Amino acid sequence: AFVPPMVTAAPGDTIRWVWESGVHTVTSGTPCTPDGLYFDAPMTRFNETAEFVVPDGVSQIPYFCIPHCGVGMSGVINVEQPPVEFMITLDGFQENEPVDTPATGSGTATFDPNSNELSWNIEFQGLTANETAAHFHGPGLPCQNVGTQITLPTGSPKIGAQVLTAQQAED
């Protein structure tokens, strides 16, 4: 068995397998189906270790032992994904129909794909009337009205976080 059978690593981390006994392989792919993408290392008393540097741009790498693929000797490397940063600009030109206003604002939002959490820090100033709504919309093209996904409290600054549904994270 691979111990532990599931590991989580970041891109650039090195995974090391250490042979204990028998004749084995560490082969990327699903059990009994090598994918030829990442590694295929023999593990014997002559090849006691195998190492692999986790690449960018992949979320999961399954692997198995060729001689023992039919009995479930397999594992998975879960690859941590880097957070996605968004810059937020608030002004009248962001409205769908643009408006002329002295109000401005800015902020950031960060999406962590490992936890599906979206966090934000937004400030604004210069409103000429009371704030009536603040929210994040779903996916859409620029200047297109789309549905509200996350409603924010009124006031500045707006600092918070929410775990997104699987569909929201995908969008």
Side-chain angles (χ1 to χ4, degrees), residues 41-138:
M43 299 292 297
T44 68
R45 63 187 176 116
F46 303 108
N47 300 295
E48 294 182 351
T49 62
E51 291 186 349
F52 172 69
V53 177
V54 178
D56 280 324
V58 62
S59 61
Q60 198 173 67
I61 302 170
Y63 61 92
F64 66 99
C65 172
I66 290 176
H68 300 100
C69 67
V71 295
M73 189 171 175
S74 61
V76 173
I77 302 169
N78 289 314
V79 182
E80 292 178 345
Q81 301 300 307
V84 179
E85 301 282 332
F86 299 93
M87 298 300 298
I88 299 170
T89 302
L90 306 170
D91 60 37
F93 296 110
Q94 305 304 315
E95 290 295 320
N96 191 1
E97 297 297 320
V99 297
D100 186 25
T101 177
T104 60
S106 64
T108 58
T110 303
F111 175 64
D112 181 346
N114 302 299
S115 64
N116 282 355
E117 183 178 80
L118 178 68
S119 60
W120 55 85
N121 186 340
I122 307 165
E123 294 184 5
F124 63 88
Q125 59 280 328
L127 293 181
T128 57
N130 290 334
E131 177 186 4
T132 58
H135 44 259
F136 286 110
H137 291 274

Side-chain angles (χ1 to χ4, degrees), residues 2-28:
F2 293 108
V3 178
M6 184 179 298
V7 297
T8 299
D13 286 352
T14 299
I15 306 292
R16 175 181 286 161
W17 293 272
V18 178
W19 173 83
E20 287 188 4
S21 66
V23 176
H24 304 286
T25 69
V26 178
T27 305
S28 65

Side-chain angles (χ1 to χ4, degrees), residues 123-170:
E123 294 184 5
F124 63 88
Q125 59 280 328
L127 293 181
T128 57
N130 290 334
E131 177 186 4
T132 58
H135 44 259
F136 286 110
H137 291 274
L141 299 173
C143 299
Q144 176 188 22
N145 265 335
V146 293
T148 298
Q149 296 290 312
I150 299 172
T151 300
L152 303 174
T154 58
S156 180
K158 298 178 186 310
I159 299 171
Q162 180 172 323
V163 175
L164 304 181
T165 67
Q167 185 61 56
Q168 288 172 322
E170 180 66 26

